[in-house]
Amino acid sequence: MDRITLTRTLLIASILYVVAFYFVGSALKPGYSQLSNFVSEYNATGTAWAGTLTYGGFLATAVLLSAFLICARPLAHVSGGSRLGFWLLWSLPASFLLGALAPCDAGCPFEGSTSQLLHNLFAILAYVGMGASIFLMSFAPNFKPFPWRRTFLLLTGIAFPVMFVLMVQPDVSPWRGLLQRLLDIAMALSLLLSFNPLFGQRRKSDT
């Protein structure tokens, strides 16, 4: 298996694993709602199945995404700001590692234990990092023949900090889980759409 195939396989495996993690987690978690609960509430301190979802969900996902980035690094067609964007993409596995190392309290409140405060702080850094990553990577030279893909990445990058602010508003609490899932989907699509321009063989035109 060559590096391009391995990198693509790791990316698809990571996305499918996250989807399975989310569905299995919501099935195991009593009273959990994909519409209103944050992903980090899967392993909230003291709640059911917290340990299992920490290691089988957050930690395993962080390892898969890290393996993808390590494999993708020699293939990355990036320079200048897009190179910084690629390195900021490590915010993605870091966001899952955050769930394992600093789980939130039940309900994921603004204030709480030391772990909750650390969780809140690093969540801000992770979401800003992910948004900046996708935004900057859209300026990679190989995106020139793919204008609509570049536009999608630009909009996704802008959406990350905007949606994060919306998610933490009390009035939006019944829908904060949905907003977070939409960002997850946008990130997955961004990585899939950018694979050939950034990590694969360059194409002459968008199809």
Side-chain angles (χ1 to χ4, degrees):
M1 183 182 295
D2 60 34
R3 183 177 285 271
I4 291 178
T5 303
L6 178 58
T7 303
R8 183 183 288 109
T9 300
L10 285 169
L11 174 59
I12 294 173
S14 298
I15 293 171
L16 292 177
Y17 194 90
V18 169
V19 172
F21 166 40
Y22 284 9
F23 278 101
V24 171
S26 61
L28 291 175
K29 210 74 178 175
Y32 188 90
S33 170
Q34 295 281 5
L35 295 178
S36 61
N37 292 112
F38 287 127
V39 170
S40 55
E41 294 181 68
Y42 279 133
N43 70 330
T45 305
T47 61
W49 297 95
T52 299
L53 294 172
T54 293
Y55 295 104
F58 290 103
L59 191 58
T61 301
V63 169
L64 273 173
L65 288 169
S66 296
F68 158 67
L69 289 176
I70 291 171
C71 194
R73 177 62 194 94
L75 303 173
H77 302 294
V78 290
S79 60
S82 62
R83 186 183 300 276
L84 174 60
F86 177 83
W87 286 112
L88 286 174
L89 194 58
W90 280 95
S91 301
L92 180 55
S95 69
F96 286 94
L97 186 61
L98 164 65
L101 298 180
C104 66
D105 298 340
C108 206
F110 291 120
E111 298 181 356
S113 66
T114 300
S115 182
Q116 176 66 60
L117 296 177
L118 288 173
H119 184 94
N120 293 344
L121 172 62
F122 288 112
I124 294 171
L125 296 176
Y127 271 84
V128 171
M130 286 187 285
S133 170
I134 294 298
F135 184 88
L136 291 172
M137 285 200 305
S138 71
F139 293 101
N142 280 11
F143 266 111
K144 289 181 179 180
F146 303 92
W148 74 269
R149 298 191 192 195
R150 168 174 280 176
T151 300
F152 183 85
L153 265 67
L154 283 169
L155 293 176
T156 297
I158 294 170
F160 260 83
V162 173
M163 296 280 269
F164 181 82
V165 172
L166 285 176
M167 283 191 298
V168 299
Q169 300 304 312
D171 292 342
V172 186
S173 59
W175 307 105
R176 63 187 187 180
L178 175 61
L179 294 178
Q180 192 176 44
R181 301 314 182 278
L182 290 175
L183 284 180
D184 291 337
I185 292 170
M187 172 61 80
L189 287 175
S190 295
L191 292 174
L192 290 171
L193 291 173
S194 66
F195 189 90
N196 277 333
L198 288 181
F199 311 120
Q201 296 175 350
R202 186 173 180 176
R203 295 177 179 177
K204 293 183 179 179
S205 61
D206 211 346
T207 56

